[in-house]
Amino acid sequence: MFKSIKFKYFFALYVILLSFCVFNLYPSHDDWVYASPKPSMNIIAGIMPTATFWRPFDRIIEYGLGFMPSLWPSFNHLVILAGFFITCIILHSMLTKITHDKFHSFIGALFFCLSPAIIITVTNPDYINQPYAFLAGLISLLCFFNAYYAGWLLLAFLSVLFKENGIVWFLAPVFVNIVYVYINSDKKFIRLIREKFLFIIIGLLGMITYFAVRFYLFGKGLSLGASGGRYQIIFSPIHILKNYVLILGGAATSVDALAFFLKPRNFMILIITFIVSVIFLGYIIACLYEIFMNDKRLFAGIIGFFVCALYISSPYSLAGQISDAMAYEMSFMLALMLGVILSSSCRKPKFMKLAIAAMFASMIFVCAHKILVMHDYTLDVHNFLQAQQSKFENIPSKALIYFIEDIPEEGYGTYKYDMGHGLATGHAFNSLWGWKAKIDVKTVKNFSDVEFSPETLPEYDTIFSLTRSGSLEILRN
């Protein structure tokens, strides 16, 4: 079905279609806080570690956008898409080199391109850190394979500076190399580990160096994780297992989570995408069994790649809360393994080809569904902001927002949530209109809890209330 399609032509069409979809999305929630222009930022202070994060490249981009706010969020979208597309090209190149099979290299790359697990990462302006942390890690892997060991360590350090989960790339290239050499030689795993043991030590020293620099720059009180919420680090085995199940489910299937989590629920779509995923995974398991029976060394190597995939996703397994975006790296690794499995198996009856085609059709549908829901939601947020701008006669220098939780928090991730979530509890006003105001937010349960009179809080030139459901009232401006 796909054998007559060259990757470069498909990829050109894919770039055009995905870019069109992404550039028609608007910012929401975290985009207003983490990826919007920061015109008053002190760049030196901005690139220093905080108690929870050290992501200097995010801060540099925000600082630059402070001088060119009209480029936001288009610049963010452009940078993210560029990093993602380069990653896709690297995946196809790696598969072609490993398998020497153009058709199944194309199938593997297609699996990553169409995976619903990549949607959050490639569509949200605040996700610059994730694709570039992974891209830097991939380049560090290529450096290690080509014996550019200084490049390996440098790119690993750059990866962790983009996002903290990049810490794995001090060791991941060594582990992947061991598995690759094992598949393509007659050496035993233990021998290969002994041969690469020095590099394992060097990688561990690289990790220690990163933490030493980070602790030194921040000083006392540094925490590797927040005290609660999504950035909390939890070492519970049950919690780690649950996170891995969610990550693997998001990366390996096309199950439409939105059909379940968003009301009204659509169980028909949920069941269909689940059945298609089960049939596809059943085919892959059958191929793996055939490889096990005919080439146990290759089978052990594939299991080794899977262990490497688990290691690369290990920082997410410790997270207090995980999202769809955390399956991005796992999707790449599974796509790589898929190309190897399909190129090595003789099990290719026409029915199974239909199973692969059905899986890809399901993935396209789920991706389209996610993008459409996100478009409608972000458009609502955008229109609300545009409608409120005329209510403010003066641009504030210091503002207080009473955020009123008039309805329960409800929704699913950044795809669709309540209006207050989309407005980042009011920080969107600073970002969209180019305010340089210092904004404080006070959360209350009811409007009766708003403690305000014309004489109170003189330090704020602007005070307004904002409800979670989406209602704004000016109290002072």
Side-chain angles (χ1 to χ4, degrees):
M1 183 179 297
F2 298 110
K3 287 188 176 181
S4 62
I5 304 176
K6 290 188 177 181
F7 176 76
K8 61 182 180 181
Y9 298 127
F10 164 80
F11 191 65
L13 178 61
Y14 176 75
V15 168
I16 293 171
L17 290 176
L18 184 60
S19 299
F20 174 79
C21 293
V22 169
F23 278 99
N24 278 281
L25 297 175
Y26 295 95
S28 69
H29 191 48
D30 285 355
D31 302 335
W32 305 115
V33 182
Y34 300 116
S36 55
K38 302 291 190 297
S40 59
M41 176 188 293
N42 183 318
I43 186 61
I44 301 300
I47 63 176
M48 291 294 106
T50 64
T52 306
F53 301 115
W54 188 19
R55 300 176 182 177
F57 292 109
D58 277 4
R59 304 286 83 83
I60 291 171
I61 289 172
E62 291 169 2
Y63 183 78
L65 286 172
F67 296 98
M68 300 172 289
S70 61
L71 295 180
W72 185 81
S74 299
F75 178 78
N76 299 59
H77 285 316
L78 181 63
V79 171
I80 290 169
L81 287 171
F84 171 66
F85 292 144
I86 293 171
T87 300
C88 295
I89 293 170
I90 291 176
L91 171 61
H92 183 261
S93 177
M94 289 173 66
L95 279 171
T96 303
K97 186 173 182 179
I98 293 171
T99 66
H100 306 288
D101 183 332
K102 291 183 178 180
F103 173 60
H104 290 110
S105 297
F106 173 75
I107 294 297
L110 189 61
F111 183 87
F112 179 62
C113 289
L114 299 181
S115 173
I118 60 98
I119 293 299
I120 284 290
T121 300
V122 302
T123 55
N124 283 259
D126 73 307
Y127 270 95
I128 288 177
N129 50 58
Q130 183 163 359
Y132 280 90
F134 187 61
L135 179 57
L138 281 181
I139 298 174
S140 77
L141 174 69
L142 299 178
C143 287
F144 188 89
F145 268 68
N146 290 281
Y148 300 137
Y149 300 122
W152 155 48
L153 294 172
L154 175 61
L155 269 297
F157 201 85
L158 288 177
S159 177
V160 74
L161 291 182
F162 273 109
K163 193 174 182 181
E164 287 74 13
N165 66 301
I167 193 70
V168 298
W169 293 103
F170 283 106
L171 289 177
V174 186
F175 298 153
V176 174
N177 183 259
I178 290 173
V179 175
Y180 179 79
V181 174
Y182 175 82
I183 292 175
N184 293 281
S185 70
D186 58 357
K187 295 180 180 180
K188 295 183 177 180
F189 261 124
I190 297 299
R191 179 183 172 185
L192 289 170
I193 291 173
R194 288 173 180 170
E195 289 179 357
K196 303 296 182 182
F197 189 72
L198 176 61
F199 294 109
I200 294 175
I201 297 298
I202 292 172
L204 289 171
L205 290 174
M207 288 182 173
I208 293 171
T209 301
Y210 163 76
F211 286 117
V213 172
R214 184 172 170 180
F215 274 84
Y216 174 79
L217 291 176
F218 184 79
K220 296 180 180 180
L222 178 62
S223 171
L224 299 179
S227 58
R230 77 176 79 173
Y231 301 117
Q232 181 183 9
I233 295 178
I234 300 175
F235 291 97
S236 164
I238 295 177
H239 181 82
I240 292 171
L241 179 61
K242 182 196 73 173
N243 280 357
Y244 268 129
V245 169
L246 293 174
I247 291 169
L248 285 167
T253 74
S254 65
V255 176
D256 192 345
L258 295 188
F260 178 78
F261 286 106
L262 294 184
K263 296 177 182 179
R265 293 186 173 94
N266 192 321
F267 289 101
M268 182 61 69
I269 292 177
L270 185 66
I271 292 170
I272 291 173
T273 55
F274 176 78
I275 291 173
V276 169
S277 298
V278 169
I279 293 173
F280 172 76
L281 292 175
Y283 170 45
I284 301 305
I285 291 171
C287 291
L288 273 172
Y289 179 74
E290 183 183 21
I291 293 172
F292 172 75
M293 297 301 293
N294 297 324
D295 191 341
K296 289 184 171 54
R297 175 172 283 269
L298 176 59
F299 178 80
I302 292 172
I303 297 302
F305 277 134
F306 182 67
V307 173
C308 290
L310 293 178
Y311 170 70
I312 290 170
S313 294
S314 59
Y316 295 134
S317 71
L318 303 174
Q321 299 173 11
I322 65 172
S323 66
D324 285 12
M326 294 181 181
Y328 180 81
E329 292 82 356
M330 181 63 76
S331 295
F332 180 96
M333 294 301 296
L334 293 185
L336 184 68
M337 292 167 57
L338 177 65
V340 174
I341 291 168
L342 293 178
S343 66
S344 305
S345 172
C346 298
R347 185 181 289 273
K348 300 183 179 70
K350 290 184 178 180
F351 173 77
M352 295 307 177
K353 290 182 180 180
L354 290 175
I356 295 176
M359 180 63 170
F360 286 157
S362 179
M363 294 169 84
I364 292 171
F365 173 82
V366 175
C367 286
H369 185 204
K370 288 186 172 183
I371 291 174
L372 182 61
V373 169
M374 193 183 303
H375 173 267
D376 291 345
Y377 173 58
T378 59
L379 180 60
D380 287 343
V381 173
H382 176 78
N383 288 340
F384 178 86
L385 283 166
Q386 295 295 85
Q388 304 306 315
Q389 187 172 10
S390 61
K391 293 185 178 181
F392 293 88
E393 296 181 0
N394 303 304
I395 296 177
S397 59
K398 188 175 183 181
L400 173 66
I401 301 173
Y402 284 102
F403 184 69
I404 303 171
E405 297 179 325
D406 61 327
I407 59 172
E409 188 174 353
E410 187 178 70
Y412 183 68
T414 58
Y415 296 110
K416 186 176 182 180
Y417 232 93
D418 52 68
M419 184 60 69
H421 181 93
L423 299 170
T425 63
H427 289 285
F429 297 94
N430 224 22
S431 301
L432 185 67
W433 299 334
W435 290 0
K436 298 181 181 180
K438 182 183 184 305
I439 292 183
D440 295 327
V441 178
K442 184 176 181 180
T443 301
V444 296
K445 291 295 183 182
N446 302 287
F447 191 81
S448 59
D449 297 326
V450 175
E451 300 173 353
F452 172 78
S453 66
E455 296 78 22
T456 60
L457 305 171
E459 65 271 26
Y460 297 103
D461 55 53
T462 297
I463 301 175
F464 60 98
S465 66
L466 175 68
T467 65
R468 184 180 293 282
S469 59
S471 176
L472 184 145
E473 183 177 344
I474 305 293
L475 302 175
R476 174 189 295 158
N477 180 231

